[in-house]
């Protein structure tokens, strides 16, 4: 290879045979080129070759010879951002930012005509976070970010602190770091749903040049644990071994190979010889509960906390308040229905990945793409027999998570490999592994039975849930109990009964996913409420108003046990009004047969914090240069928590957001942070930040008063320091210089008491009864987020959640065949929403102020997802008279439902 120009500079490095351009460019230090799919599907690796955008993961590196290659690092010229970079920064056209480099490079090459047809122009670039509205605004040059306001940062569109790094490629994600002596790990996975490993011959693998070690179950600690991460480790069942001699699902880890190169590690895996004794497998949760079914964890004892391993029962719940039978007997109208929710993959664009090494003090350091660095550190120390002080876990920018990174899926094996080899070890999952060997949303079957008076007042509420947790318990307990809580507590009814079971099967494990069990049960309940409204000839908004909880009405699910959930604020009434008015104001187009028009709505409640404790520490200090150093444990993965933390601290200190410098997501910087999950990054860690900043403000005032010899009440914080009444303005630099001790403060929050947030979604749709096609004409979501600290960012959370939920409602479905194998492990066959798929969702905020949240804010990361599928199904029901009970609502499934009901007006040949 004679060479090429890389960002304007000549490069003569020689690529390896068969090497793709993406890996070659990353080896040249261009870490802005991301890995997302390895198949040309997602666009995260987009670069310009002679000015044309290409997917570098499917472009051979040798094709760069003699050409000019531009990565995101080279788009700016002479220190000035490219106009597209400026527009993405001004519009905040990103959340986690992992897709942004590829998106910007693609947009930079568009001509004016292409910019008018973004669905076509951006068809090769996927975003899992934003819902694409912010990206469209960036392309259109519509700015949203506001300059920092001193002392009034909350309530304004402060830009993300990581924004400049994201648009220039300088932001560092998990693997965007050069580590001396780095080795690579690859894993051999089980081809069987259930088998015992009889023998593993490692001889041929160890003979591969560059292979350093092979790890099998003989090298693993003889400890059971859970990959799920919660503040209380005992919330989850202990049923997993780091490497096991029994495999319980296709794709389970069998052995790991550590080598000098990825290629050597992969070849080592291919040369491992494994013999298995096949065991009977059960793939269906009903079959798993049947007497005599193959047991998934029948060998586990009570210490594992499995409800009944002899029946494949991970967890069970049963509770009743009042008398449901009597309530049904007293009802004028009843409805009973059964609903299914499918497997979903979190599909964050950055796959699970981690690097481990020993630092100069001998500590095990894990750099990971995780939502829970502190909980992962604690679990690693326990599992690997180390003191907590001997382990450090950190992350920088995380490329999406949506609950999928509330797991310890890689760090355990990476840590073991570091300890065994003494070398730095990197493990990055491929996209296929991400789909076929990590976790999914829990598939659930939900039966709902409702009774009501003629006036539309609920008399009985009964729900039964069957959840498929797969081969390991992970979040099986939590999603079952959470899914059966707020969805039921939303409604005031004197007679409620809930039963539920989470069941093991020999399939891919289920885990945490946005909504954490609520989206499945809300789909069933809100669909049932819609049917009840129809039987009562009552408007669906009015039925909700007559039965929803409100201040003064206890929030009760299925028992009367005390809890710490309070009405910190209440905005459901406003959300119903806002969504109803938006649908009423919308005038749908006039359509002729076979198109039919309909409207639908659904609502949701969520507790703003998980139960039984969610803890966060924060520290803030006044630096010698007059800026503030804010240390928090929260990870940033598009949730926007760190932006909120900066605004909270700046407001409490009457400072500009630019005066706040962040240190985050590192077990070395604060004492503890339970993690950024359950929508807690803002409300729990934010409380800790507010507490710390307010304490520091008082210390600064006291120091200024002492230095000037006046009472503290004569001192007032300003953007530039402390103003003494009738005296001088003392700069923060002066105050820090003359202080007798470092000016710093610590804040904590324990996540209790908890408040509630509400979301109401509405759709206007058109349905083609000849084809089953659904077209969304209007999408609106009204949200009660308390005081909205950052409208631009919060709107993006709602839009992104709604877009993700539309993907779940319309086409996403992770399918498993009769042998337990995932059959669609790629973006090409697992359809996440592209630009062309996502309608604009109008976002409307209730006007509330939560007394429990930081500066009045409530959580709004998970909850926008929850009511969408039900609202869409209700709109289709309104249009066609047909109740859809199992997403995804693909045209073929909708057509079959219409045909079965005699609504379809055209027979479609099965041959087509």
């Amino acid at each position: 290879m004679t060479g090429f120009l890389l960002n304007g500079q000549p490069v003569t490095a020689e690529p390896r045979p068969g090497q793709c351009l993406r890996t070659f460019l990353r080896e040249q230090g261009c870490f802005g080129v991301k890995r997302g799919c390895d198949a040309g599907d997602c666009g995260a690796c987009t670069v310009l070759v002679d000015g044309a955008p290409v997917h570098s993961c499917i472009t051979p590196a040798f094709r760069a010879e003699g050409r000019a290659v531009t990565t995101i690092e080279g788009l700016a010229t002479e220190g000035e951002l490219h106009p597209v970079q400026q527009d993405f920064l001004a519009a905040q056209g990103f959340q986690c930012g992992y897709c942004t480099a590829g998106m910007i490079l693609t947009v930079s090459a568009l001509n004016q005509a292409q910019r008018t047809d973004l669905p076509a122009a951006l068809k090769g670039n996927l975003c899992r976070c934003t819902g694409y509205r912010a990206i469209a605004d960036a392309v259109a040059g519509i700015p949203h970010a506001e300059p920092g306001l001193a002392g009034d940062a909350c309530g304004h569109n402060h830009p993300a602190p990581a924004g400049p790094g994201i648009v220039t490629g300088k932001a560092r994600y998990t693997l965007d770091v050069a580590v001396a002596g780095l080795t690579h790990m690859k894993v051999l996975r089980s081809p069987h749903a259930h088998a015992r490993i009889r023998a593993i011959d490692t001889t041929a693998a160890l003979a591969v040049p560059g292979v350093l070690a092979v790890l099998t179950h003989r090298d693993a600690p003889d400890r059971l644990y859970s990959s799920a991460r919660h503040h209380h480790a005992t919330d989850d069942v202990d049923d997993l071994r780091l490497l096991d001699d029994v495999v319980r699902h296709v794709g389970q880890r069998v052995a790991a190979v550590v080598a000098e190169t990825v290629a050597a590690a992969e070849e080592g895996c291919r040369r491992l010889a494994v013999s298995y004794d096949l065991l009977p497998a059960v793939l269906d949760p009903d079959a798993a509960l049947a007497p005599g079914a193959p047991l998934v964890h029948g060998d586990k004892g009570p210490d594992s906390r499995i409800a009944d391993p002899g029946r494949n029962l991970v967890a069970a719940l049963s509770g009743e308040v009042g008398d449901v039978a009597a309530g049904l007997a007293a009802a004028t109208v009843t409805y009973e229905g059964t609903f299914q929710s499918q497997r979903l993959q979190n599909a964050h664009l950055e796959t699970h990945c981690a690097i481990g090494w020993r630092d100069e003090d001998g500590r095990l350091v894990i750099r990971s793409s995780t939502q829970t660095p502190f909980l992962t550190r604690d679990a690693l120390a326990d599992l690997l027999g180390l003191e907590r002080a001997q382990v450090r876990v950190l992350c920088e920018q995380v490329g999406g998570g949506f609950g999928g990174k509330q797991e310890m899926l890689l760090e355990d094996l990476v840590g073991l490999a570091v300890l065994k080899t003494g070398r730095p070890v990197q493990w990055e999952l491929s996209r296929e592994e991400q789909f076929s060997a990590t976790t999914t949303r829990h598939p659930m079957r939900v039966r709902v039975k409702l009774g009501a008076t003629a006036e539309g007042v609920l008399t009985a509420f009964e729900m039964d849930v069957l959840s498929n947790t797969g081969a390991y318990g992970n979040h099986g307990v939590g999603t079952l109990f959470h899914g059966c809580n707020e969805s039921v507590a939303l409604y005031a009814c004197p007679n409620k009964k809930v039963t539920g079971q989470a069941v093991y099967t020999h399939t891919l494990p289920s885990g945490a996913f946005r909504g954490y069990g609520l989206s499945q049960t809300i789909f069933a309940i809100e669909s049932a409420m819609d049917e009840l409204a129809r039987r009562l000839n009552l408007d669906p908004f009015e039925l909700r108003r007559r039965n929803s909880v409100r201040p003064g009405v206890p929030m009760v699910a299925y028992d009367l046990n005390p809890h710490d959930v309070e009405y910190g604020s209440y905005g459901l009434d406003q959300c119903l009004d806002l969504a109803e008015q938006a649908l009423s104001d919308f005038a749908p187009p006039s359509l002729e047969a076979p198109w039919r028009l309909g409207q639908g709505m659904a609502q949701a409640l969520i507790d703003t914090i998980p139960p039984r404790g969610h803890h966060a520490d924060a520290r803030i200090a006044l630096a010698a240069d007059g800026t503030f150093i804010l240390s928090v444990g929260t990870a940033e993965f598009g949730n926007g928590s760190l932006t909120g933390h900066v605004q909270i601290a700046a407001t409490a200190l009457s400072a500009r957001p630019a005066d706040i410098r962040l240190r985050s997501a590192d077990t070395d910087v604060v004492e503890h942070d339970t993690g950024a999950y359950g929508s807690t990054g803002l409300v729990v860690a934010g409380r800790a930040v507010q507490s710390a900043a307010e304490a520091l403000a008082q210390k600064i005032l006291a120091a200024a008063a002492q230095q000037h010899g006046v009472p503290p009440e004569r001192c007032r914080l300003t953007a530039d320091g402390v103003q003494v009444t009738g005296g001088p303005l003392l700069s923060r630099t002066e105050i820090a210089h003359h202080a007798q001790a470092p000016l710093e403060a610590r804040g904590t929050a324990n996540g209790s008491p908890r408040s509630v947030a509400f979301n109401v979604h509405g759709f206007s749709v058109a349905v083609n009864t000849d084809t089953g096609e659904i077209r969304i004409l209007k999408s609106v979501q009204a949200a009660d987020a308390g005081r909205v600290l950052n409208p631009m960012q919060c709107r993006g959370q709602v839009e992104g959640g709604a877009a993700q939920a539309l993907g779940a409602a319309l086409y996403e479905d992770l399918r498993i065949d009769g042998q337990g194998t995932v059959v669609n492990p790629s973006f090409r066959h697992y359809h996440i929403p592209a630009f062309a798929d996502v309608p604009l969702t109008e976002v409307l905020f209730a006007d509330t102020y939560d007394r429990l949240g930081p500066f009045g804010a409530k959580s709004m990361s998970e909850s926008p997802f929850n009511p969408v599928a039900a609202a869409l199904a209700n709109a289709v029901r309104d249009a066609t008279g047909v109740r859809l009970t199992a997403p995804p609502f693909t045209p073929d499934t909708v057509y079959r439902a219409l045909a079965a009901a005699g609504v379809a007006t055209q027979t479609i040949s099965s041959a087509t």
Side-chain angles (χ1 to χ4, degrees):
M1 185 169 179
T2 58
F4 66 102
L5 289 179
L6 175 58
N7 297 326
Q9 300 299 316
V11 173
T12 57
E14 191 75 22
R16 295 187 297 278
Q19 187 174 25
C20 74
L21 184 58
R22 177 186 61 81
T23 59
F24 183 60
L25 292 173
R26 287 183 62 85
E27 288 175 0
Q28 310 312 308
C30 295
F31 291 126
V33 185
K34 304 302 183 194
R35 178 184 191 177
C37 66
D38 296 318
D41 294 331
C42 77
C45 68
T46 300
V47 301
L48 303 180
V49 177
D50 289 342
V54 302
H55 289 176
S56 62
C57 69
I58 56 172
T59 302
F62 72 82
R63 290 189 179 173
E65 184 171 5
R67 308 177 78 174
V69 176
T70 304
T71 71
I72 192 66
E73 292 90 346
L75 195 60
T77 56
E78 298 180 357
E80 294 292 328
L81 293 181
H82 186 280
V84 175
Q85 290 173 308
Q86 293 174 345
D87 288 340
F88 268 75
L89 197 57
Q92 294 286 281
F94 50 83
Q95 283 182 25
C96 84
Y98 198 78
C99 72
T100 306
M103 199 77 68
I104 287 174
L105 286 163
T106 298
V107 172
S108 73
L110 300 180
N111 59 37
Q112 199 57 42
Q114 290 170 317
R115 283 170 171 256
T116 64
D117 187 9
L118 292 182
L122 296 180
K123 64 183 180 181
N125 292 83
L126 297 177
C127 175
R128 188 58 162 167
C129 298
T130 65
Y132 298 100
R133 190 274 313 161
I135 293 170
D137 286 354
V139 177
I142 301 173
H144 297 293
E146 299 174 343
L149 300 174
D152 191 28
C154 289
H156 296 279
N157 292 335
H158 178 61
I166 287 173
V167 303
T168 59
K170 294 178 181 178
R172 289 292 175 254
Y173 292 80
T174 308
L175 302 186
D176 297 342
V177 60
V179 178
L182 185 67
T183 67
H184 298 269
M185 182 162 65
K186 286 295 178 180
V187 167
L188 179 70
R189 299 186 178 278
S190 170
H192 307 297
H194 194 198
R196 184 174 298 278
I197 297 172
R198 187 166 59 245
I200 302 177
D201 187 344
T202 64
T203 306
L206 288 169
V208 173
V211 168
L212 303 173
V214 177
L215 304 176
T216 72
H217 58 271
R218 297 186 182 88
D219 302 289
D222 190 17
R223 297 285 303 277
L224 292 173
Y225 61 103
S226 173
S227 67
R229 301 270 54 84
H230 283 108
H231 183 73
H232 300 283
T234 53
D235 283 355
D236 305 298
V237 297
D238 288 338
D239 57 8
L240 178 68
R241 196 170 173 224
L242 197 153
L243 289 167
D244 207 334
D245 61 347
V246 175
V247 291
R248 295 176 173 87
H249 68 91
V250 174
Q252 182 167 331
R253 307 186 310 204
V254 171
V257 177
V258 182
E260 298 286 358
T261 65
V262 172
E266 290 175 338
E267 181 61 22
C269 286
R270 285 189 285 269
R271 295 196 187 186
L272 287 170
V274 184
S275 56
Y276 299 92
D277 291 327
L278 299 187
L279 301 172
V282 59
L283 307 181
D284 177 77
D286 282 307
L289 286 172
L295 297 181
V296 182
H297 291 282
D299 57 336
K300 302 297 190 298
D303 290 345
S304 288
R305 297 179 301 282
I306 300 170
D308 190 346
R311 294 182 54 228
N312 287 322
L313 195 61
V314 182
L317 65 85
S318 179
E320 183 173 8
V321 293
D323 187 332
V324 168
L328 289 169
T332 304
V333 175
T334 61
Y335 171 77
E336 183 174 4
T338 300
F339 301 84
Q340 303 275 355
S341 291
Q342 78 278 34
R343 291 182 188 272
L344 301 175
Q345 227 292 320
N346 304 70
H348 32 77
L349 289 192
E350 180 192 42
T351 63
H352 281 84
C353 51
I355 304 174
W357 67 89
R358 293 271 199 154
D359 67 12
E360 60 274 11
D361 297 321
R363 291 192 304 171
L364 174 64
V365 180
I366 303 289
R367 179 186 171 101
S368 175
S369 182
T370 178
Q371 296 173 225
T372 58
F374 289 79
L375 300 186
T376 300
R377 174 202 60 188
D378 296 350
L380 283 173
D382 184 60
L383 176 64
L384 299 175
L386 302 171
E387 296 294 328
R388 183 182 295 182
Q390 294 177 287
V391 182
R392 177 189 177 196
V393 176
L394 72 153
C395 55
E396 289 193 55
Q397 199 77 7
V398 176
F402 318 113
K405 294 175 180 175
Q406 191 193 339
E407 304 262 3
M408 186 172 69
L409 297 180
L410 275 73
E411 299 90 344
D412 50 356
L413 191 49
V414 169
L416 179 66
V418 171
L419 297 181
K420 291 288 185 179
T421 65
R423 294 279 299 276
V425 177
Q426 175 176 304
W427 185 19
E428 179 183 17
L429 295 192
S430 68
R431 179 56 57 184
E432 181 175 346
E433 286 179 299
Q434 188 68 47
F435 276 110
S436 61
T438 59
T439 60
T440 71
R441 181 177 76 160
H442 285 74
M444 289 188 186
R445 185 184 71 218
V446 183
R447 181 183 65 83
V448 178
K449 191 169 186 178
L450 303 176
T453 67
E455 293 73 32
V457 176
L458 288 173
T459 62
F461 191 129
E462 185 174 359
M463 182 171 74
D464 178 71
V465 177
L466 181 66
S467 175
N468 183 352
T469 200
Y472 291 93
N474 294 39
H475 294 266
V477 179
T479 52
L480 178 66
F481 281 78
H482 189 240
C484 292
N485 185 43
E486 292 104 293
S487 60
V488 181
L490 173 56
Y491 290 103
C493 178
N495 307 297
K496 293 180 178 180
K497 182 179 180 180
V498 178
T499 53
Q501 295 175 305
V503 180
Y504 284 122
T505 59
H506 290 104
T507 60
L508 186 68
S510 304
F513 186 91
R514 197 173 201 165
Y516 206 69
L518 280 175
S519 66
Q520 299 95 310
T521 53
I522 286 171
F523 170 62
I525 291 168
E526 291 300 299
S527 297
M529 285 292 289
D530 192 71
E531 287 298 322
L532 196 63
R534 294 182 181 282
R535 296 187 180 194
L536 289 163
N537 195 28
L538 192 63
D539 179 82
F541 283 95
E542 182 58 30
L543 182 64
R544 268 64 170 198
R545 291 188 181 98
R546 294 184 187 184
N547 292 283
S548 299
V549 293
R550 58 185 56 85
V553 176
M555 287 177 276
V556 174
Y558 50 85
D559 60 42
L560 298 176
N561 294 333
H563 56 70
D564 64 343
V565 181
E566 303 177 7
Y567 294 101
S569 61
Y570 184 84
L572 177 57
D573 51 352
Q574 295 182 52
C575 290
L576 289 167
D577 292 346
L578 289 167
E580 183 178 34
Q581 189 63 51
L583 289 180
S584 177
D585 291 344
F586 176 70
S590 297
L591 298 175
E592 296 181 354
W595 291 98
R596 296 188 183 184
L597 297 171
Q599 288 190 346
M601 60 80 62
Q603 65 179 16
L605 174 154
I606 193 168
D607 295 342
T608 58
I609 302 167
R612 300 190 312 103
H614 194 106
H615 295 251
D617 293 294
R619 292 207 314 265
I620 190 163
L622 177 61
D625 63 0
T627 62
F628 298 97
I629 301 173
L630 174 62
S631 300
V632 294
T634 305
E636 176 60 55
F637 53 99
N639 47 332
S641 296
L642 296 186
T643 311
H645 295 166
V646 166
Q647 291 178 267
I648 290 167
T651 298
L653 290 160
S654 298
R656 301 178 187 87
D659 294 331
I660 311 296
R661 291 187 283 154
L662 269 169
R663 301 171 66 212
S664 65
D666 184 337
T667 56
D668 273 2
V669 303
V670 295
E671 290 187 22
H672 183 75
D673 188 291
T674 298
Y677 65 86
S679 301
T680 56
L682 182 66
V683 292
V684 180
R687 286 181 191 169
V689 169
Q690 183 178 354
S691 176
E694 289 175 343
L696 179 59
Q698 294 306 310
K699 289 186 176 184
I700 291 172
L701 289 172
Q706 183 181 43
Q707 291 168 20
H708 201 65
V710 298
E713 54 268 22
R714 286 188 54 191
C715 298
R716 177 176 58 86
L717 286 171
T718 73
D720 299 304
V722 174
Q723 178 67 58
V724 179
T725 304
L729 173 69
L730 302 177
S731 71
R732 289 196 295 263
T733 303
E734 292 177 81
I735 296 169
H737 179 71
H738 294 292
Q740 295 179 351
L743 291 173
E744 57 187 16
R746 175 174 175 255
T748 64
N750 64 7
S752 181
R754 301 177 286 152
S755 189
V756 286
F758 299 94
N759 299 77
V760 176
H761 204 100
F763 283 111
S764 177
V765 304
V767 182
N768 187 319
T769 56
D770 279 357
T771 64
E773 179 188 355
I774 300 170
R775 289 188 182 175
I776 296 171
L777 307 176
K778 173 74 174 180
S779 173
V780 59
Q781 185 163 136
D784 173 22
R787 182 189 181 193
V788 180
L789 299 188
N790 191 311
M792 164 186 69
Q793 181 175 273
C794 194
R795 182 177 71 168
Q797 289 294 304
V798 177
E799 290 168 341
Q804 210 170 69
L806 274 174
L810 289 172
Y811 27 74
E812 293 187 40
D813 185 9
L814 195 71
R815 299 190 300 274
I816 293 179
D817 67 15
Q819 286 70 51
T821 302
V822 173
V823 298
N824 56 334
S826 71
F827 284 138
R828 191 153 306 181
H829 302 102
Y830 180 90
H831 180 178
I832 72 170
F835 195 105
D837 299 317
V838 181
L840 175 68
T841 290
E842 181 182 4
V843 179
L844 304 169
F845 290 114
D847 183 11
T848 61
Y849 188 98
D850 198 82
R851 60 180 172 81
L852 301 176
F855 289 115
K858 294 197 281 195
S859 63
M860 198 48 58
S861 291
E862 289 187 280
S863 55
F865 186 99
N866 292 331
V868 173
L872 186 60
N874 292 342
V876 173
R877 169 70 165 89
D878 188 52
T880 66
V882 176
R883 169 58 57 191
L884 301 177
T885 60
F889 311 139
T890 57
D892 57 330
T893 58
V894 174
Y895 174 79
R896 283 194 290 268
L898 297 177
V903 175
T905 55
Q906 177 177 313
T907 301
I908 299 178
S909 169
S910 60
T912 61

